[in-house]
Structures are given as C-alpha cells and as structure tokens.
Amino acid sequence: MKSLLTDPVVTDNIPARTLLGLGPQDEDVGDLRQLQLAPLRGKGGLRLWMGVGMALVAAFTMVGSGMAWPLISGWLAGTMGFSLWSYRAFAKQPFGDLKSSGVAEYALCNRHAVYSAVVWSTPFWLQGLAPTLEHALSMWAVALLMMLTLAIVAHSIPRACILFIAPVSLSAGAALLAANAPSLAGVAVAAGFLLSLFCIRFAQAHVRFRRAEETLHEKTETVSLLLREFEETSADWLWQTDNNRRLVHVSPRLAYALGDTAEALEGVPLLQALSGDAWAAGNFAKALHDMAERMKRRESFSNLIVPVTIGGKPRWWELSASPRLDEGGKFLGFRGVGSDVTEQHATAEQIAKMARFDNLTGLPNRLSLHEDLARALTHAVAAKTRCAMLMIDLDRFKAVNDTLGHPVGDKLLAQVAARLKGLMERGMTCGRLGGDEFAVVLHNVPSAKEAEDLATRIIAAISRPYVVDNHQLFVGASVGYAIGPTDGATVETLTRNADLALYKSKDKGGNVVAAYVASLHAQAEERRVMEQELRGALERREFELYYQPVVTAADGTLNGFEALIRWNNQKLGNVSPGRFIPLAEDSRLISPIGEWVLRTACAEAMRWPSNLKVAINVSAEQLTDPAFASVVVSALAQSGLPPQRLEIEVTESVFLRDGGGAAQLLDQLIGLGIRLSLDDFGTGYSSLGYLRKTQFSTIKVDRSFVVGAAKGSIESIAIIRAVVALADSLGMSTTAEGAETEVEVDTLRALGCNNIQGYYYGRPMPASDVLTLFRPPEPMSTAAA
C-alpha cells in the first residue's frame, strides 16, 4: 500500500559520490551495493587467469630487457601468490545476494584493488629509479591491458577500478617521465583519467539498467493484475454463452467449479450444466426458470442466487450477466460472472467448545499451540531435525471491525480459519492466538524453504475476496516464521522470534513472508525509538510541508499544488515519509499528524492566488475516524479557504479496507464542495466499482505508466488511454504523476491527460519558495539601485 504524502518515484542516475561510496556514512543506499557486486559472481576464475597470464607476459617482457633473474622471479612469484590468495578470498563472498547488505564485500573489493595496484606499480621500477624507455613502455602496455580488462570485468564497482587504475597510471607516468618521455607520461596519466571516468559512467548505466529491469517487472505484474481483475478479485469465475445460450470459451476455473473439463462443457446449454440430473426431467428450481426467462428476453441480471447441482450435490451460486452485442447491434449471447455462495446459505454446524480450542473458529487456541510446539521442539532436538513456528496477522482486518462491526469481523475470522485449516497437511497444526492473529506449528521441517513455501500459500489463500453479510471484503496476511531449535530452543524464545519476524513482514507493507534473523532485535529497537520520537514531533514542530506544482497539460498553466510532509528529527535526521507514515498509522498517530497537515495546508493556500487549489493525501486510517469530517470543516472555517480549492486524495486501499463507512464520509465531503481524487489508479485492484461508489473529480495516473508510455510501451499507452476515456465519460479529469522529461510531457498531452505533475515543472518546495512564484518582478529602477 502506498503511504500518503510520499514523493513520486524518480529514475535519475545514481550520483557518482554515492556510487563510489563517498556519501555520508548513514546514507541509505538500499540494494545498490549488491547491484554493483552482482556482475562479479562467477568471475573469480577469469580474474585469476587474467592476473597469472598478465604476470607471465610482463615477466617474459622483462627477461627480454636483460634484467636480473632474481628480481623477475621474485616479482612473478609474489604476483602469482597474490592472485591465488585474492581468488580464494573472493570465492567465499555472496556477491549479488540481496539478503546481504554488501558493505563488507564492497570494502573487500576496494582493499584488493589497492593491493593489486601496489603489485602492478612495482615492475616499472625493477630497473631502478631511471628505467629505460623501452622497459617503461612495455610495462605500461601490459598494465594498460590489465586496466582495460579490469574495467570490463569490474565496471560496476568504479571505486575499486579507480583504486587500481590511478596508482598504476601515476606509476607509469612517473616511469616514463624518468625515462625522458614527458609527452608519453602525460598520455599515460590522461589514459588512466579517461578510463576512470569511463568506469563511473559504465557503472551508472549498469545500475540504471538493472533498476529499469525491476521497474519493467513491476509494470508487467500490474498489467497482468488488471487483465485478471474479474477472474481473481471481482468474482470466482467468468462465463459466456452464444446466442443459443450454450457455454463458449469455458475457463478452467468455471470447468473446475462445474466438476468437468473445459472441452466437455464447450457447447453445453448453461441450464443443463447448472441443473445436473434435473435437466432430463425438466424439474428446475424457480430461480433457474427465472434466469432462463431473462436470458430468453435478453435482459441483464445481477446478483441472482440460483441452486445448482454439481456431481449430485446441491450448491448455491450467485450469477450476474449482460447480453453481448456486435458493432451492428446483433445479439451474440451473454457474458457474466459467478461465485459460489453455498457457505452463506448453509447453517454453520455447532462446534463443541473445548478448553484447548477457540470458540469462534474451532481451531486450537494459544495453549494448544504452545503444547504442540513444545512437542515439536523436543522431537527436533532428540532427532536432530527441525521444526517451525509461523505467526500470521491479518492485514486490513481492523478496518472491517471499525466500519462493519465485530459480528461481521467474527464471521470473517471464521472464514479465514476455514481457509487456513484447508491448507494443513500431516505434521501441521494451525490455531488462533487471539484477535486477528493465527499461528501454524510445523513438525519435521527439512529446511526453511518448506516453511517459506507454506507461508506463501497461506498468504495467497487468505488474500482471496470474502463475502460476509452481502459485503465483499478484502484482507491480506503478513507471515513471520522462525526455525527451531536454531532460532530458539524454547517455546517462549521461538514464539518471540517468530513474532519479531512478523513485525518485519508488516513493516514491509504486509502480504509478504519474513524469516527471523538476529538483526530483528535491533530493528525492533529502532522502531521503538522512532515511535517515541514521532509522538513528540508535533509539539517540537519538526514537521514541514513541501508543495509540488500541478499544471494544466494544454498550456502549462499552474492550477494548484500537492502538499507533501517532511520530518526532520534532531536524533534521527531527515526521516522518509515511507518510513514514518506506516508507523504513524500503526501507532494511531496519523489522525493528529493528518489534522496538522490539513490545517497547515489550508492556511498556506489562503496566501496563494484564489484560482489555485491544494491537494492533501488522506490515509484509510484517517477516514475511519468519525471526527474527520468535522476536522475538515473546522480547517476550512479557520483558514477561510473555499471548499472548492481543497482536494482530498485517497488510494484504492481505502475501499479494500472499508465496508462502506469511508465511502459515506467521502460523500459528505463532496457534499461540502470539496474535490476528491483517486490516487495511483491502475497500480492496485483498479476496480471500476470504486468509481461507481464515489463521485471522484480526478483520477491520477501513476508514474510507472507515464514512463512506459513515453518509451512506447503498448500496455502503458493502452492503460492511460483507457483511464482518460473512462474519466472523460464520467465527467472527471485526469492528472499524470511523475513527468520528468519533455518527451513524457508531450506523450501525456497527446494521450489527452488534463493535468501534469512532476519534476519537469517543479520539485516539491517549501511554503516560502511557493510565495516567491507569485511576487511581481522588481522594477528596473529598484534593481539598478
């Protein structure tokens, strides 16, 4: 989930100082070091033979110059010994492993570059302080070949290249100067300097290319998600008939639901497929008759509950469909969606309440799980095997309780428990620890991969949509796990460490798996300190708002700003919104921070020209606060800002976490005249139902599609065109985020976007800089004075 008030994504070159490791010690470089080190994986043998081969060439050259054998053989032996030692040191390193920070490996490369520079600077002076020109030139030729080969093999780590190239080039230049060849000495130094610049630029290109690959992968996943929206989020399956009401284009999921193959169902009348044995007798249920009559009249129908017979067993399905027409208006058949709602019609069987079982879900409770974990640990220690503890926490469950009440939340928990239980196999025990937290104990785990695979399946199962009391609900799951007895030899230790891993999963945004590592204790302490500092940030006035311009696409006219929060703490320094906003949401600090943002932005906007509006990001947690609407009204009244100049930005997560309460609150704000914007449309579920629920004034197009469209991506162009067409048909405007180049701006104009926001028109700026935009230019006389 994207946090509020975060900056648009940028894809500029990595600064050279960061690439060279010359930035501040506390600089956050993310996975940069591993991206730089990855090309070295598997290149150890090449480096070894390169060093040995060049050393032999250099030695052969020196023999021809008549130098003493002891000097030559001593240097050759030392060089080969160093090459072998360096090869063994590098062979043990996990280059490109994203689980490692890469700092130690990066430092190792730099050290060995210095050692190698010393080794290869020495041959220039084996004839003494006045080498012959022939010797200096021959050694420079060999060294230059070494430098070129290193620049090709290790181009992604320019600091190591420079630490080798610079000393060797300077040594070559000094030797040529001593040999009375100053012009050649200048050439040697200049060649080393140019080669060093080449390494830096090559490294920047390498990192940019690798990150572009990651961005392309993310966009591919987004497009796939959009194409599979109905199949995976809106309903359980799709169905389609021809003009004779016979099934066509049967999907594998529909075939599975009907208990047959897609080939066997192709061309079968829909009514026959649903009624089973009753088809021959013609004794259909009334609901099936009603559906058949509607289809005969070519009428649309929605949420029609019908009884079906699958394999002789009765089921209940919910069906919706609309007639399909060609361009000439000819009837082609029906296309619709369906889902199995049998569980909502069946009476839940009463489960005997036992002391070691949860009353709501029927799963083992905390006591039972701890007893089972104790047995698993005892067996693991005795048999020298492993066991595992998985901690599971539901994402977005709190919003269900807050908006729909605890009865709906309890029913949702029961459905989650049923899905979890369905995944259990021999040697697995699942249970409920309390609230929305579950756990799984695994006996006899061969490796951590089995625990990770199960956790991934759990997330996939729990993340599918739910239907509770006619509400379609979406929740996710965060999973953390620890392996016993490695990560803990007692129930308490293993449970605590699995819980720390769960916190790590939630810190990553949820819906992911995290394994326990020892450093999690330090991360938990860092989170505690940040939360403590965050609680006093408002009183210490550590927050500041920056504003990024939004312009009209047609003529570049400024029409407003988006407010973005910044936090500068005395102890922590500048803290990214991506780090402290999720923490503020979890610790229930987002409401007072959001209120400060709202009041400050409204007050600042009153100092701007009256035609400019201000956009403020609002999180799902803020919209669950019943007092939010009154806070907005108070901020407008206190500042005097007209409601039409305020725009509230929300993301699709508001609707994923909401059962209707947030949508009603947004409707109240719209009734006051406040504008509403849907942020990052196209990067999440992107259901058209959100646009139907709430009257948005603006749809914002994510930067990932902007970059793709500018590069000619057919998928990105199609998505932007679809969003623009959809917005135009619904009377909404479109704002494209993250435009940084003229090509991107021209592309967005051509595709019909109404507004553009991005670094091309202006970076986020403090309030004082915004005011300078509106000051009239000073008269010439004043300027001259």
Side-chain angles (χ1 to χ4, degrees), residues 591-624:
S591 291
I593 294 175
E595 180 177 349
W596 176 86
V597 170
L598 180 65
R599 294 186 184 276
T600 304
C602 288
E604 287 291 342
M606 280 300 294
R607 305 172 68 186
W608 307 341
S610 60
N611 64 317
L612 300 182
K613 63 180 181 294
V614 62
I616 300 172
N617 291 271
V618 174
S619 71
E621 282 73 15
Q622 288 176 267
L623 294 179
T624 60

mmCIF file of all heavy atoms in Angstrom, residues 591-624:
data_model
loop_
_atom_site.group_PDB
_atom_site.id
_atom_site.type_symbol
_atom_site.label_atom_id
_atom_site.label_comp_id
_atom_site.label_asym_id
_atom_site.label_seq_id
_atom_site.Cartn_x
_atom_site.Cartn_y
_atom_site.Cartn_z
ATOM 1 N N SER A 591 -3.923 10.435 12.875
ATOM 2 C CA SER A 591 -5.011 11.420 12.934
ATOM 3 C C SER A 591 -4.512 12.803 13.341
ATOM 4 O O SER A 591 -4.796 13.789 12.651
ATOM 5 C CB SER A 591 -6.114 10.941 13.882
ATOM 6 O OG SER A 591 -6.782 9.826 13.331
ATOM 7 N N PRO A 592 -3.752 12.953 14.443
ATOM 8 C CA PRO A 592 -3.259 14.303 14.769
ATOM 9 C C PRO A 592 -2.274 14.839 13.730
ATOM 10 O O PRO A 592 -2.291 16.035 13.429
ATOM 11 C CB PRO A 592 -2.579 14.118 16.131
ATOM 12 C CG PRO A 592 -2.331 12.656 16.279
ATOM 13 C CD PRO A 592 -3.435 11.988 15.523
ATOM 14 N N ILE A 593 -1.419 13.959 13.158
ATOM 15 C CA ILE A 593 -0.495 14.425 12.121
ATOM 16 C C ILE A 593 -1.280 14.869 10.885
ATOM 17 O O ILE A 593 -1.011 15.922 10.300
ATOM 18 C CB ILE A 593 0.524 13.330 11.765
ATOM 19 C CG1 ILE A 593 1.435 13.039 12.964
ATOM 20 C CG2 ILE A 593 1.359 13.722 10.556
ATOM 21 C CD1 ILE A 593 2.396 11.884 12.738
ATOM 22 N N GLY A 594 -2.262 14.056 10.501
ATOM 23 C CA GLY A 594 -3.080 14.410 9.343
ATOM 24 C C GLY A 594 -3.861 15.701 9.565
ATOM 25 O O GLY A 594 -4.036 16.497 8.637
ATOM 26 N N GLU A 595 -4.342 15.918 10.793
ATOM 27 C CA GLU A 595 -5.050 17.162 11.087
ATOM 28 C C GLU A 595 -4.104 18.363 10.953
ATOM 29 O O GLU A 595 -4.483 19.415 10.416
ATOM 30 C CB GLU A 595 -5.637 17.111 12.495
ATOM 31 C CG GLU A 595 -6.399 18.375 12.877
ATOM 32 C CD GLU A 595 -7.043 18.273 14.251
ATOM 33 O OE1 GLU A 595 -7.082 17.151 14.808
ATOM 34 O OE2 GLU A 595 -7.506 19.309 14.762
ATOM 35 N N TRP A 596 -2.863 18.214 11.433
ATOM 36 C CA TRP A 596 -1.884 19.300 11.294
ATOM 37 C C TRP A 596 -1.610 19.591 9.817
ATOM 38 O O TRP A 596 -1.535 20.754 9.407
ATOM 39 C CB TRP A 596 -0.584 18.925 12.000
ATOM 40 C CG TRP A 596 0.496 19.953 11.817
ATOM 41 C CD1 TRP A 596 0.716 21.077 12.548
ATOM 42 C CD2 TRP A 596 1.491 19.958 10.775
ATOM 43 N NE1 TRP A 596 1.777 21.777 12.051
ATOM 44 C CE2 TRP A 596 2.282 21.122 10.958
ATOM 45 C CE3 TRP A 596 1.790 19.110 9.717
ATOM 46 C CZ2 TRP A 596 3.342 21.443 10.135
ATOM 47 C CZ3 TRP A 596 2.856 19.429 8.884
ATOM 48 C CH2 TRP A 596 3.616 20.569 9.094
ATOM 49 N N VAL A 597 -1.456 18.536 9.023
ATOM 50 C CA VAL A 597 -1.231 18.716 7.583
ATOM 51 C C VAL A 597 -2.401 19.470 6.957
ATOM 52 O O VAL A 597 -2.214 20.420 6.183
ATOM 53 C CB VAL A 597 -1.037 17.345 6.896
ATOM 54 C CG1 VAL A 597 -1.050 17.504 5.382
ATOM 55 C CG2 VAL A 597 0.254 16.697 7.342
ATOM 56 N N LEU A 598 -3.623 19.071 7.304
ATOM 57 C CA LEU A 598 -4.819 19.682 6.730
ATOM 58 C C LEU A 598 -4.907 21.164 7.085
ATOM 59 O O LEU A 598 -5.105 22.024 6.222
ATOM 60 C CB LEU A 598 -6.057 18.933 7.222
ATOM 61 C CG LEU A 598 -7.404 19.436 6.730
ATOM 62 C CD1 LEU A 598 -7.520 19.258 5.223
ATOM 63 C CD2 LEU A 598 -8.534 18.676 7.425
ATOM 64 N N ARG A 599 -4.749 21.482 8.365
ATOM 65 C CA ARG A 599 -4.879 22.882 8.801
ATOM 66 C C ARG A 599 -3.745 23.743 8.227
ATOM 67 O O ARG A 599 -3.962 24.875 7.785
ATOM 68 C CB ARG A 599 -4.888 22.955 10.326
ATOM 69 C CG ARG A 599 -6.109 22.304 10.964
ATOM 70 C CD ARG A 599 -6.136 22.531 12.472
ATOM 71 N NE ARG A 599 -7.258 21.834 13.090
ATOM 72 C CZ ARG A 599 -8.490 22.341 13.142
ATOM 73 N NH1 ARG A 599 -8.745 23.535 12.627
ATOM 74 N NH2 ARG A 599 -9.469 21.649 13.715
ATOM 75 N N THR A 600 -2.522 23.209 8.222
ATOM 76 C CA THR A 600 -1.384 23.974 7.705
ATOM 77 C C THR A 600 -1.527 24.232 6.210
ATOM 78 O O THR A 600 -1.295 25.352 5.730
ATOM 79 C CB THR A 600 -0.076 23.228 7.997
ATOM 80 O OG1 THR A 600 0.033 22.974 9.407
ATOM 81 C CG2 THR A 600 1.129 24.043 7.541
ATOM 82 N N ALA A 601 -1.906 23.210 5.452
ATOM 83 C CA ALA A 601 -2.034 23.366 4.002
ATOM 84 C C ALA A 601 -3.152 24.351 3.653
ATOM 85 O O ALA A 601 -3.004 25.172 2.736
ATOM 86 C CB ALA A 601 -2.306 22.008 3.358
ATOM 87 N N CYS A 602 -4.273 24.289 4.360
ATOM 88 C CA CYS A 602 -5.382 25.217 4.091
ATOM 89 C C CYS A 602 -4.945 26.656 4.389
ATOM 90 O O CYS A 602 -5.255 27.585 3.623
ATOM 91 C CB CYS A 602 -6.598 24.841 4.927
ATOM 92 S SG CYS A 602 -7.434 23.337 4.391
ATOM 93 N N ALA A 603 -4.236 26.861 5.508
ATOM 94 C CA ALA A 603 -3.781 28.207 5.863
ATOM 95 C C ALA A 603 -2.794 28.737 4.827
ATOM 96 O O ALA A 603 -2.847 29.915 4.437
ATOM 97 C CB ALA A 603 -3.157 28.191 7.254
ATOM 98 N N GLU A 604 -1.849 27.875 4.361
ATOM 99 C CA GLU A 604 -0.882 28.306 3.366
ATOM 100 C C GLU A 604 -1.559 28.620 2.040
ATOM 101 O O GLU A 604 -1.185 29.578 1.351
ATOM 102 C CB GLU A 604 0.187 27.232 3.166
ATOM 103 C CG GLU A 604 1.187 27.105 4.305
ATOM 104 C CD GLU A 604 2.109 28.297 4.409
ATOM 105 O OE1 GLU A 604 2.210 29.062 3.427
ATOM 106 O OE2 GLU A 604 2.701 28.482 5.475
ATOM 107 N N ALA A 605 -2.551 27.813 1.656
ATOM 108 C CA ALA A 605 -3.231 28.017 0.374
ATOM 109 C C ALA A 605 -3.945 29.358 0.323
ATOM 110 O O ALA A 605 -4.148 29.915 -0.760
ATOM 111 C CB ALA A 605 -4.214 26.878 0.116
ATOM 112 N N MET A 606 -4.355 29.894 1.471
ATOM 113 C CA MET A 606 -5.028 31.199 1.504
ATOM 114 C C MET A 606 -4.077 32.331 1.119
ATOM 115 O O MET A 606 -4.522 33.442 0.812
ATOM 116 C CB MET A 606 -5.606 31.457 2.887
ATOM 117 C CG MET A 606 -6.923 30.753 3.144
ATOM 118 S SD MET A 606 -8.204 31.264 1.968
ATOM 119 C CE MET A 606 -8.401 32.993 2.423
ATOM 120 N N ARG A 607 -2.772 32.078 1.135
ATOM 121 C CA ARG A 607 -1.791 33.096 0.756
ATOM 122 C C ARG A 607 -1.476 33.039 -0.743
ATOM 123 O O ARG A 607 -0.674 33.808 -1.229
ATOM 124 C CB ARG A 607 -0.510 32.901 1.563
ATOM 125 C CG ARG A 607 -0.753 32.888 3.076
ATOM 126 C CD ARG A 607 0.491 32.493 3.855
ATOM 127 N NE ARG A 607 1.533 33.505 3.751
ATOM 128 C CZ ARG A 607 2.769 33.354 4.244
ATOM 129 N NH1 ARG A 607 3.093 32.213 4.858
ATOM 130 N NH2 ARG A 607 3.667 34.312 4.119
ATOM 131 N N TRP A 608 -2.094 32.095 -1.449
ATOM 132 C CA TRP A 608 -1.877 31.948 -2.888
ATOM 133 C C TRP A 608 -2.979 32.674 -3.649
ATOM 134 O O TRP A 608 -4.004 33.043 -3.074
ATOM 135 C CB TRP A 608 -1.877 30.472 -3.305
ATOM 136 C CG TRP A 608 -0.950 29.591 -2.545
ATOM 137 C CD1 TRP A 608 0.120 29.958 -1.797
ATOM 138 C CD2 TRP A 608 -1.032 28.159 -2.447
ATOM 139 N NE1 TRP A 608 0.728 28.867 -1.241
ATOM 140 C CE2 TRP A 608 0.040 27.736 -1.623
ATOM 141 C CE3 TRP A 608 -1.866 27.190 -2.980
ATOM 142 C CZ2 TRP A 608 0.273 26.414 -1.310
ATOM 143 C CZ3 TRP A 608 -1.646 25.862 -2.689
ATOM 144 C CH2 TRP A 608 -0.584 25.472 -1.856
ATOM 145 N N PRO A 609 -2.811 32.831 -4.964
ATOM 146 C CA PRO A 609 -3.909 33.342 -5.802
ATOM 147 C C PRO A 609 -5.152 32.468 -5.658
ATOM 148 O O PRO A 609 -5.058 31.249 -5.459
ATOM 149 C CB PRO A 609 -3.324 33.280 -7.220
ATOM 150 C CG PRO A 609 -1.847 33.398 -7.017
ATOM 151 C CD PRO A 609 -1.553 32.693 -5.729
ATOM 152 N N SER A 610 -6.298 33.078 -5.787
ATOM 153 C CA SER A 610 -7.561 32.388 -5.489
ATOM 154 C C SER A 610 -7.921 31.309 -6.494
ATOM 155 O O SER A 610 -8.847 30.525 -6.244
ATOM 156 C CB SER A 610 -8.705 33.415 -5.427
ATOM 157 O OG SER A 610 -8.815 34.091 -6.682
ATOM 158 N N ASN A 611 -7.226 31.236 -7.622
ATOM 159 C CA ASN A 611 -7.554 30.209 -8.612
ATOM 160 C C ASN A 611 -6.781 28.915 -8.395
ATOM 161 O O ASN A 611 -6.972 27.938 -9.126
ATOM 162 C CB ASN A 611 -7.259 30.724 -10.021
ATOM 163 C CG ASN A 611 -5.776 31.006 -10.227
ATOM 164 O OD1 ASN A 611 -5.134 31.581 -9.358
ATOM 165 N ND2 ASN A 611 -5.238 30.584 -11.353
ATOM 166 N N LEU A 612 -5.896 28.863 -7.396
ATOM 167 C CA LEU A 612 -5.070 27.676 -7.153
ATOM 168 C C LEU A 612 -5.661 26.833 -6.035
ATOM 169 O O LEU A 612 -6.095 27.352 -5.006
ATOM 170 C CB LEU A 612 -3.636 28.085 -6.790
ATOM 171 C CG LEU A 612 -2.880 28.902 -7.829
ATOM 172 C CD1 LEU A 612 -1.467 29.182 -7.358
ATOM 173 C CD2 LEU A 612 -2.861 28.192 -9.175
ATOM 174 N N LYS A 613 -5.656 25.520 -6.237
ATOM 175 C CA LYS A 613 -6.156 24.596 -5.215
ATOM 176 C C LYS A 613 -4.989 23.857 -4.574
ATOM 177 O O LYS A 613 -3.880 23.845 -5.101
ATOM 178 C CB LYS A 613 -7.148 23.604 -5.818
ATOM 179 C CG LYS A 613 -6.584 22.684 -6.881
ATOM 180 C CD LYS A 613 -7.662 21.749 -7.413
ATOM 181 C CE LYS A 613 -7.123 20.793 -8.478
ATOM 182 N NZ LYS A 613 -6.710 21.481 -9.705
ATOM 183 N N VAL A 614 -5.256 23.219 -3.444
ATOM 184 C CA VAL A 614 -4.244 22.439 -2.748
ATOM 185 C C VAL A 614 -4.766 21.021 -2.559
ATOM 186 O O VAL A 614 -5.927 20.816 -2.192
ATOM 187 C CB VAL A 614 -3.883 23.074 -1.389
ATOM 188 C CG1 VAL A 614 -5.089 23.130 -0.459
ATOM 189 C CG2 VAL A 614 -2.744 22.310 -0.726
ATOM 190 N N ALA A 615 -3.922 20.025 -2.868
ATOM 191 C CA ALA A 615 -4.286 18.611 -2.739
ATOM 192 C C ALA A 615 -3.591 18.027 -1.522
ATOM 193 O O ALA A 615 -2.397 18.261 -1.304
ATOM 194 C CB ALA A 615 -3.901 17.834 -3.994
ATOM 195 N N ILE A 616 -4.349 17.259 -0.730
ATOM 196 C CA ILE A 616 -3.832 16.668 0.508
ATOM 197 C C ILE A 616 -4.119 15.172 0.493
ATOM 198 O O ILE A 616 -5.252 14.755 0.256
ATOM 199 C CB ILE A 616 -4.482 17.324 1.740
ATOM 200 C CG1 ILE A 616 -4.194 18.825 1.766
ATOM 201 C CG2 ILE A 616 -3.999 16.673 3.018
ATOM 202 C CD1 ILE A 616 -4.947 19.573 2.822
ATOM 203 N N ASN A 617 -3.105 14.361 0.751
ATOM 204 C CA ASN A 617 -3.282 12.910 0.823
ATOM 205 C C ASN A 617 -3.885 12.520 2.162
ATOM 206 O O ASN A 617 -3.485 13.032 3.210
ATOM 207 C CB ASN A 617 -1.933 12.202 0.661
ATOM 208 C CG ASN A 617 -1.380 12.344 -0.746
ATOM 209 O OD1 ASN A 617 -1.662 11.546 -1.608
ATOM 210 N ND2 ASN A 617 -0.602 13.401 -0.972
ATOM 211 N N VAL A 618 -4.829 11.594 2.127
ATOM 212 C CA VAL A 618 -5.511 11.117 3.339
ATOM 213 C C VAL A 618 -5.454 9.591 3.339
ATOM 214 O O VAL A 618 -5.722 8.944 2.323
ATOM 215 C CB VAL A 618 -6.972 11.609 3.393
ATOM 216 C CG1 VAL A 618 -7.700 10.996 4.578
ATOM 217 C CG2 VAL A 618 -7.016 13.134 3.493
ATOM 218 N N SER A 619 -5.085 9.000 4.474
ATOM 219 C CA SER A 619 -4.965 7.544 4.569
ATOM 220 C C SER A 619 -6.292 6.910 4.963
ATOM 221 O O SER A 619 -7.220 7.581 5.424
ATOM 222 C CB SER A 619 -3.893 7.172 5.599
ATOM 223 O OG SER A 619 -4.353 7.448 6.904
ATOM 224 N N ALA A 620 -6.350 5.591 4.786
ATOM 225 C CA ALA A 620 -7.567 4.861 5.149
ATOM 226 C C ALA A 620 -7.852 4.965 6.644
ATOM 227 O O ALA A 620 -9.013 5.016 7.071
ATOM 228 C CB ALA A 620 -7.425 3.392 4.734
ATOM 229 N N GLU A 621 -6.786 5.008 7.473
ATOM 230 C CA GLU A 621 -6.985 5.113 8.924
ATOM 231 C C GLU A 621 -7.664 6.425 9.295
ATOM 232 O O GLU A 621 -8.501 6.459 10.206
ATOM 233 C CB GLU A 621 -5.638 5.003 9.646
ATOM 234 C CG GLU A 621 -5.099 3.592 9.778
ATOM 235 C CD GLU A 621 -4.584 3.054 8.465
ATOM 236 O OE1 GLU A 621 -4.378 3.854 7.530
ATOM 237 O OE2 GLU A 621 -4.413 1.833 8.339
ATOM 238 N N GLN A 622 -7.341 7.515 8.607
ATOM 239 C CA GLN A 622 -7.980 8.787 8.905
ATOM 240 C C GLN A 622 -9.469 8.748 8.592
ATOM 241 O O GLN A 622 -10.278 9.347 9.304
ATOM 242 C CB GLN A 622 -7.306 9.910 8.110
ATOM 243 C CG GLN A 622 -5.913 10.275 8.595
ATOM 244 C CD GLN A 622 -5.272 11.317 7.712
ATOM 245 O OE1 GLN A 622 -4.551 11.006 6.779
ATOM 246 N NE2 GLN A 622 -5.536 12.578 8.006
ATOM 247 N N LEU A 623 -9.824 8.032 7.531
ATOM 248 C CA LEU A 623 -11.223 8.002 7.117
ATOM 249 C C LEU A 623 -12.077 7.116 8.017
ATOM 250 O O LEU A 623 -13.299 7.136 7.907
ATOM 251 C CB LEU A 623 -11.329 7.526 5.662
ATOM 252 C CG LEU A 623 -10.712 8.478 4.627
ATOM 253 C CD1 LEU A 623 -10.847 7.910 3.239
ATOM 254 C CD2 LEU A 623 -11.359 9.847 4.699
ATOM 255 N N THR A 624 -11.447 6.309 8.879
ATOM 256 C CA THR A 624 -12.223 5.528 9.847
ATOM 257 C C THR A 624 -12.488 6.325 11.119
ATOM 258 O O THR A 624 -13.211 5.846 12.002
ATOM 259 C CB THR A 624 -11.486 4.225 10.212
ATOM 260 O OG1 THR A 624 -10.217 4.550 10.792
ATOM 261 C CG2 THR A 624 -11.274 3.363 8.972
#
